[in-house]
Structures are given as structure tokens and as C-alpha cells.
Amino acid sequence: MKPNFEKSDKARESISGAACVPDLGQCLAVNDEKKYAQFFKIDDRRLEPGRLIRLLPGKIDGKKTKEIDAEGAVYVPPRNTGEPGFYFVTGSHGLSRSGEFQQSRFVLFRFPVDPETGAPTFKFDDKKVAPEISRTTLLQETIRNTEPLSAFAEKTLDRNGVTIEGLSVMGEDLLFGLRSPCLSEHALVMWVPIDKLFMSTAPSAKIDKVKLGDNVGIRDLTAVKDGFLILSGRSDDRRGDEKLTCGENRKPPSPFPTVWFWSGKEEDAAKPLGQLPGIDANDSAETLLVLEETEEAYRILILLDGKKNGAPVEFLVEK
């Protein structure tokens, strides 16, 4: 991999999500410490970081903004020939580790992309937010109003508080994969109609429960043929006080990062495809990119939050 991701060690050790335009190898990486994202290219087995794109201004209504805490990204292809595709980037929609509410974490971003090149359809840089980049905070209200999420909205991660980490698309809906809350060995997926996300009122949502195990949450969610791959990992915060597990007063287990196949239907159980060899339970595997899908297997790329440039590792996962 050359060069490094920008702009600092803190940023390049905080890669927390990525998405690619299919068949082009043109991708977008997001991090949970800054206000920008970075494009990169996958060329065979080489990652080539490119330009930065500013997503959040330094001030909104005269008030300084904090980091986005971006945790997920997805590319949504155009519906009709001649139209742009779109990148969506989501913040965690959760409190900071110290319990502070920061509005910048409760933002969903969207911007248009040329499906032929994978590049934005507008001029951009890392200093100023381009007017073509839309943002909304209405998903915060959706979470507050949707069961069973409402009881866990705006609580810290070590208290089973809502935390989004995965983002994907199926048909007319965006899917938000939740690291937390975990409920009776189930992780949650929130479905929201794409067309309703940037309206003047909060969109409605549907919640699916996916059984992944005790203290297991969704760390990434990626569309494949006939469903999704789920990258799972520890739901709670190992840097918290560890007094509660999934809202219960007990010591937490520490599950290993695992890849699952899920059809996208709540009535269908998720199928475990295997733990990631060489990845420790304490490693924050937070990004799963599908490099290739055949009838027999998925070739995937995993990036680790907390490691330089995500420490990319490739795996072949049998179906």
C-alpha cells in the first residue's frame, strides 16, 4: 500500500468503513476521528489512497463541530441511465465514549458520483464542504421513535446504547447495521427508504433481528448476490467498565470477528461462514469489502480500526 492514508497517524489508524463503485475499483474510506473521507483505488492487490473530500464544516450556525465518527459507507448505483450514483456516509448516531452528546455524530451524508469513473460529479477538496454534499440529522429522530431502538437511543456503548457501524443497500432501502444494542443474542438491522432520508420530516424505519450470539454486534454489512455478508464482532465497549453485557449485569464474553451470510429476510437465520484467522478478538475488524464473488466463495478485504492504514488483509471465504 502506497502512499499512506491522509492526513495524520490518528486518521490513518481510524479507518472505520469503506465502499466501492462496482467493477471500477474506485472506493471511498471513512474514519471515525475526522471531518473528511478519502478516495482510494484497488488495483489487483494494491491499495492506492487518493484525494480527500471534506464532509463536515468546522462550524455550523457559529458553533464548532466535532468529528463525524463516521462508521459506514455505501455506494448506491443510479436507477436510470444518465443519472449519477451516490455515496452515503453515516455517523455512529451514538454518544461519545465519555457520554457526551455531539451533534456531528448524528449526521448522514450523501453526494453524487459519476458511475463511469467513480469520482464525484462536482469540484471538491479537503478544506471546504461542496454545496453538492447533502447532510441530514433526521435519522436521530427516527431512532428515537422506532422500537426497540428508542429505549437505547443516546446511551453510551457500554450501556447497550445505539451505535451504527454497517451501511448497505437493497432495492429502495438503506440498511443500517447496528453494533449495539444487542438483545437476547440478536443484532439489529434498520431499514430506511432511501427516498425518505433527506426530506423535511424524519423517515420511518423497519427493524430486523439477526441472531449472531452473545455480545455480538454488526461491524459491517455488505451486499452480495442473494443477500448480505455481515462482519460481526464484540457489541459492547471493551474500554468501558464491563459491568453490563447487552444490558445485563454480567461480565461480557469477547467474541472473535466472524463473517456471516444473511438473506436479508428476518425469518432466515444468518449462516456463519467462519472466524477470521489471524484476527484477534480485541482487533477492531470494522470494514469488509467484497473483491470478487464466485459460485463457490467470496474474496474479501478486511480493514482494522486501530491499525495503520487499516492493516488490510485478504481472505477467501467459502459459501
Side-chain angles (χ1 to χ4, degrees):
M1 179 171 179
K2 192 176 182 180
N4 292 320
F5 280 109
E6 298 283 3
K7 296 181 181 181
S8 64
D9 287 342
K10 187 174 184 180
R12 65 180 61 100
E13 291 175 3
S14 303
I15 306 300
S16 51
C20 300
V21 179
D23 304 320
L24 293 182
Q26 299 290 346
C27 309
L28 179 73
V30 301
N31 69 78
D32 56 16
E33 292 290 345
K34 300 297 180 179
K35 301 170 187 175
Y36 57 78
Q38 185 167 7
F39 294 99
F40 68 98
K41 182 179 180 180
I42 299 177
D43 185 6
D44 192 20
R45 285 177 167 81
R46 181 183 178 90
L47 267 67
E48 300 178 5
R51 294 180 61 189
L52 298 173
I53 182 169
R54 182 75 174 230
L55 298 178
L56 190 70
K59 289 185 178 180
I60 296 178
D61 297 330
K63 297 181 179 179
K64 288 185 177 181
T65 58
K66 301 287 182 90
E67 70 268 17
I68 297 170
D69 194 27
E71 293 288 354
V74 66
Y75 171 75
V76 177
R79 294 176 177 174
N80 302 301
T81 302
E83 295 181 349
F86 286 90
Y87 271 122
F88 288 78
V89 175
T90 184
S92 65
H93 288 72
L95 299 185
S96 72
R97 185 166 287 109
S98 65
E100 179 185 0
F101 174 83
Q102 299 171 355
Q103 186 64 68
S104 57
R105 294 170 177 259
F106 293 78
V107 183
L108 177 71
F109 302 88
R110 177 189 67 183
F111 60 86
V113 177
D114 184 337
E116 299 297 322
T117 66
T121 59
F122 54 90
K123 294 182 179 180
F124 66 94
D125 58 37
D126 63 330
K127 304 297 183 183
K128 187 177 180 180
V129 178
E132 290 85 356
I133 299 176
S134 303
R135 65 176 183 265
T136 179
T137 59
L138 288 175
L139 203 61
Q140 177 185 3
E141 185 176 340
T142 298
I143 291 169
R144 288 173 176 171
N145 295 335
T146 302
E147 297 296 339
L149 296 182
S150 57
F152 306 96
E154 294 158 50
K155 293 185 177 181
T156 57
L157 181 59
D158 64 357
R159 291 299 181 267
N160 216 22
V162 169
T163 303
I164 294 170
E165 288 211 358
L167 187 61
S168 193
V169 61
M170 176 179 275
E172 305 298 314
D173 294 307
L174 280 193
L175 283 73
F176 297 82
L178 276 71
R179 173 179 178 174
S180 178
C182 55
L183 303 174
S184 302
E185 299 190 353
H186 288 74
L188 305 181
V189 177
M190 179 172 68
W191 300 66
V192 184
I194 295 173
D195 288 344
K196 303 296 184 181
L197 280 164
F198 287 83
M199 306 292 280
S200 58
T201 57
S204 59
K206 179 176 79 78
I207 303 296
D208 280 348
K209 297 179 180 180
V210 185
K211 189 170 184 178
L212 300 179
D214 189 16
N215 198 32
V216 179
I218 295 171
R219 309 305 291 269
D220 205 0
L221 182 67
T222 304
V224 292
K225 182 181 178 182
D226 299 326
F228 301 91
L229 292 185
I230 293 174
L231 174 61
S232 71
R234 184 167 175 161
S235 175
D236 72 348
D237 187 356
R238 62 182 173 84
R239 289 171 287 185
D241 59 22
E242 295 192 326
K243 291 183 178 179
L244 292 177
T245 298
C246 300
E248 300 173 356
N249 187 14
R250 57 187 173 89
K251 292 290 288 184
S254 189
F256 281 82
T258 300
V259 177
W260 308 68
F261 173 80
W262 179 52
S263 70
K265 300 176 182 178
E266 187 173 30
E267 61 269 23
D268 290 346
K271 174 186 176 182
L273 301 181
Q275 295 180 2
L276 296 175
I279 305 297
D280 188 74
N282 290 327
D283 287 331
S284 294
E286 293 193 5
T287 301
L288 186 158
L289 294 172
V290 177
L291 302 176
E292 182 183 11
E293 179 179 358
T294 67
E295 293 299 317
E296 295 80 27
Y298 306 100
R299 188 164 66 92
I300 65 172
L301 187 68
I302 298 293
L303 302 179
L304 308 177
D305 190 355
K307 303 290 186 180
K308 184 178 178 180
N309 295 319
V313 185
E314 182 179 320
F315 296 92
L316 188 66
V317 181
E318 293 183 357
K319 291 185 175 180

